[in-house]
Amino acid sequence: MTTTQARTEPEHAQGTDPHAGHAAVPAAGHGGHGPHGYSAQKDAHLKRLRRIEGQIRGLQRMVDEDVYCIDVLTQVSASTKALQSFALSLLEEHLRHCVAAAAEEGGAELDAKVAEATAAISRLLRS
């Protein structure tokens, strides 16, 4: 996170987003190890993320080479859509795996997973 981002991004209330700003740190109660909902598709997800990473590197090259701004914006849009598509896929797997497992347990565990999924959806809608 850059200094500018740190100053301009809203602070997250404690407990509302256990891993905001810490993508590599698992949320409380999740442990650091799978299997998570995406584990069965891990190789496909990594391949997809590497493709998106290539798109971002392409954007860097375009800016470096002074490519026409509309062409750069078109590539930004494509990269954004690729990330959104990845996020939706991951969310679906979370609902099918983690939320479904919590539904079997019911009670507080289900309530927590639904709240967590709702917060994730809210973040996706704001992005």
Side-chain angles (χ1 to χ4, degrees):
M1 178 182 313
T2 66
T3 305
T4 304
Q5 286 173 319
R7 285 186 300 217
T8 60
E9 290 183 353
E11 293 293 322
H12 294 281
Q14 191 171 20
T16 60
D17 186 3
H19 39 265
H22 304 287
V25 178
H30 293 269
H33 307 288
H36 297 292
Y38 62 84
S39 294
Q41 300 296 323
K42 189 173 184 176
D43 289 341
H45 287 317
L46 289 171
K47 182 178 179 181
R48 193 170 187 183
L49 287 169
R50 286 184 194 104
R51 192 176 320 120
I52 294 168
E53 180 181 23
Q55 287 180 292
I56 303 305
R57 289 183 194 280
L59 276 167
Q60 292 172 336
R61 280 191 300 275
M62 291 173 81
V63 170
D64 187 48
E65 296 169 2
D66 293 318
V67 172
Y68 182 57
C69 50
I70 296 300
D71 294 338
V72 175
L73 288 170
T74 299
Q75 184 61 33
V76 167
S77 179
S79 300
T80 300
K81 294 294 181 195
L83 273 172
Q84 288 172 339
S85 177
F86 173 76
L88 287 174
S89 174
L90 206 59
L91 177 62
E92 180 181 4
E93 290 172 355
H94 175 70
L95 293 172
R96 288 184 187 279
H97 181 267
C98 302
V99 176
E104 290 178 9
E105 292 182 31
E109 180 68 16
L110 175 58
D111 292 342
K113 290 295 181 189
V114 169
E116 184 181 58
T118 301
I121 292 167
S122 178
R123 286 190 303 274
L124 287 172
L125 290 174
R126 287 188 303 234
S127 61

